[in-house]
Amino acid sequence: MDFLFDYGLFLAKIATVVIAIVSILVLVKGLSGRQGGQKGELEVTDLTEQYKNTVHQLEAHLYDKPLLKAREKASKKSDKEKNKARQSEIKKAAKEGELSQAREPRLFVLDFHGSIDAREVSALREEVSAILAVAMEGDEVLLRLETGGGMVHGYGLASSQLDRLKSAGITLTIAVDKVAASGGYMMACVADKIISAPFAVVGSIGVIAQLPNFNKVLKKHDIEFEQITAGEFKRTLTMFGENTDKARDKFKSEIEETHDLFKQFIAEHRPALDLGAVATGEHWFGKQALALGLVDEIGTSDDVIAAACQDREVLAVRYVQRKKLAEKLAGATGEAADSLLLKWISRGQRPIV
């Protein structure tokens, strides 16, 4: 009996420590969100040049020097002929005032690794605005998307940023290498084409909201909780007050309305989807998602980039905000809180491989 008592006391201590740590993480995360970031700047990386350098390094180990020189000579001759022909086209286009033909089409590559509150949308906004300012006919955008979703309003705004590209007539491809679920799929469905890795997690077209209620604990300790509102449904469910069936019904109806809006949004962008089959809150792996019409092709972002590097310039565009050390530490702690909360929410929901 003493053993059970000691074991229970030990578990209680562990639970207290865990709750305290999570509370601190959430507090620091909130403080980090209030701190003003420094002015950012765009970083542009030539992925085509990186790809070619990688290939050349490997070829140097595979082929002898005479063959390498012959290949390099042939490549330079080909590039010279292409440049000469292109310069002629540019001069002709300039005379005719067709500035859209003044350069070769490019593939712009963006990355979105989303958190629960989708705070990365501020950088996405800057990246999209920059591309729209310079985009010409034939340019395309590839977004490497990785997120399990989060706040509805945050991911709604992120989806709207991608819609700006579509409205401008720029072809948008979204590659899901790991996960695009819930709010992530809200973003993905905007694309002209969705590419998924075979075991990437896709779907989770549903809405969830949950909160604990401590009313019974407060009553047990003779602690009263008062909340004053104006408007019948200014507050529905509460953590400390006594929840009513009417409040629960109202909250449930709001969740259902949000789900309906979610489904309508997807139907607008992917009208061929059978929402009755896929908008159940379930998720699927890439190959299953392909059969259901959630994605268009099985592959990875690397496949898309490697293919594009063969015949066009591929540029990675990233908006970076320079942060102070304190902001970096707060941001890292916030990410840790995100990760921990997501693990707790999703525990037992997915198989582990």
Side-chain angles (χ1 to χ4, degrees):
M1 196 70 179
D2 291 340
F3 169 75
L4 292 176
F5 177 78
D6 291 340
Y7 186 65
L9 186 61
F10 170 74
L11 291 179
K13 290 180 178 179
I14 293 296
T16 302
V17 171
V18 170
I19 292 172
I21 292 174
V22 172
S23 299
I24 293 171
L25 290 175
V26 172
L27 177 61
V28 173
K29 176 178 169 57
L31 292 174
S32 70
R34 296 192 193 102
Q35 294 180 353
Q38 304 299 310
K39 186 176 180 180
E41 60 184 19
L42 280 178
E43 286 185 355
V44 181
T45 305
D46 190 336
L47 298 183
T48 303
E49 191 64 28
Q50 282 189 359
Y51 175 81
K52 289 181 178 178
N53 287 339
T54 301
V55 173
H56 289 161
Q57 287 176 9
L58 185 56
E59 287 181 339
H61 290 278
L62 296 176
Y63 306 117
D64 55 26
K65 290 184 178 180
L67 180 57
L68 285 174
K69 287 184 178 180
R71 286 166 62 89
E72 185 177 354
K73 185 176 180 180
S75 178
K76 286 183 177 179
K77 183 179 180 181
S78 177
D79 289 343
K80 187 176 180 180
E81 291 175 352
K82 286 181 180 179
N83 289 335
K84 186 177 180 181
R86 188 56 189 157
Q87 290 299 322
S88 177
E89 291 176 6
I90 291 174
K91 289 180 181 179
K92 182 180 178 181
K95 287 181 181 179
E96 297 174 357
E98 297 179 6
L99 295 179
S100 61
Q101 302 300 321
R103 62 168 172 79
E104 292 283 357
R106 289 187 171 94
L107 174 66
F108 296 100
V109 179
L110 306 179
D111 289 283
F112 190 91
H113 296 269
S115 55
I116 292 177
D117 59 1
R119 58 183 174 271
E120 297 79 9
V121 72
S122 59
L124 180 64
R125 172 191 283 137
E126 299 293 341
E127 293 159 0
V128 169
S129 295
I131 290 172
L132 290 176
V134 301
M136 294 185 176
E137 185 179 347
D139 286 344
E140 298 183 17
V141 171
L142 167 67
L143 176 70
R144 295 184 287 199
L145 178 63
E146 182 180 334
T147 177
M151 301 294 184
V152 174
H153 57 277
Y155 281 90
L157 179 57
S159 301
S160 297
Q161 294 301 322
L162 299 181
D163 230 348
R164 293 172 62 199
L165 296 169
K166 294 287 295 299
S167 298
I170 299 174
T171 299
L172 172 64
T173 300
I174 288 183
V176 183
D177 291 330
K178 292 183 179 179
V179 57
S182 197
Y185 191 75
M186 181 187 290
M187 293 177 65
C189 74
V190 177
D192 295 286
K193 180 193 288 186
I194 304 175
I195 297 174
S196 169
F199 288 95
V201 175
V202 179
S204 190
I205 303 172
V207 182
I208 183 173
Q210 55 188 356
L211 74 164
N213 182 267
F214 300 99
N215 183 252
K216 290 182 179 179
V217 176
L218 296 180
K219 281 185 176 180
K220 184 177 179 180
H221 292 84
D222 295 323
I223 300 173
E224 294 184 1
F225 172 76
E226 293 186 6
Q227 181 175 258
I228 301 172
T229 61
E232 183 180 5
F233 294 115
K234 177 61 179 176
R235 175 70 64 196
T236 51
L237 298 186
T238 170
M239 290 179 63
F240 302 105
E242 186 171 356
N243 290 318
T244 64
D245 289 337
K246 188 175 183 180
R248 292 188 186 94
D249 291 341
K250 175 60 177 174
F251 194 77
K252 180 68 164 60
S253 70
E254 291 172 350
I255 294 295
E256 293 289 352
E257 288 171 6
T258 304
H259 190 211
D260 288 339
L261 289 172
F262 192 176
K263 291 189 289 185
Q264 290 172 23
F265 183 83
I266 292 174
E268 290 172 7
H269 291 87
R270 294 185 75 86
L273 263 181
D274 180 1
L275 288 176
V278 300
T280 59
E282 298 171 82
H283 62 264
W284 294 271
F285 293 116
K287 286 192 174 182
Q288 297 168 318
L290 178 64
L292 290 167
L294 288 164
V295 303
D296 303 299
E297 189 177 309
I298 296 297
T300 67
S301 59
D302 306 291
D303 298 323
V304 179
I305 292 173
C309 285
Q310 304 299 322
D311 58 8
R312 65 169 62 188
E313 188 175 19
V314 181
L315 301 176
V317 179
R318 181 169 174 249
Y319 184 77
V320 181
Q321 286 184 308
R322 305 302 177 189
K323 296 181 180 180
K324 297 178 181 178
L325 179 59
E327 291 174 321
K328 290 180 179 179
L329 292 174
T333 309
E335 289 178 5
D338 273 346
S339 177
L340 185 58
L341 290 172
L342 276 174
K343 285 180 180 178
W344 278 15
I345 291 170
S346 63
R347 183 175 294 171
Q349 301 299 310
R350 290 202 293 264
I352 299 174
V353 296

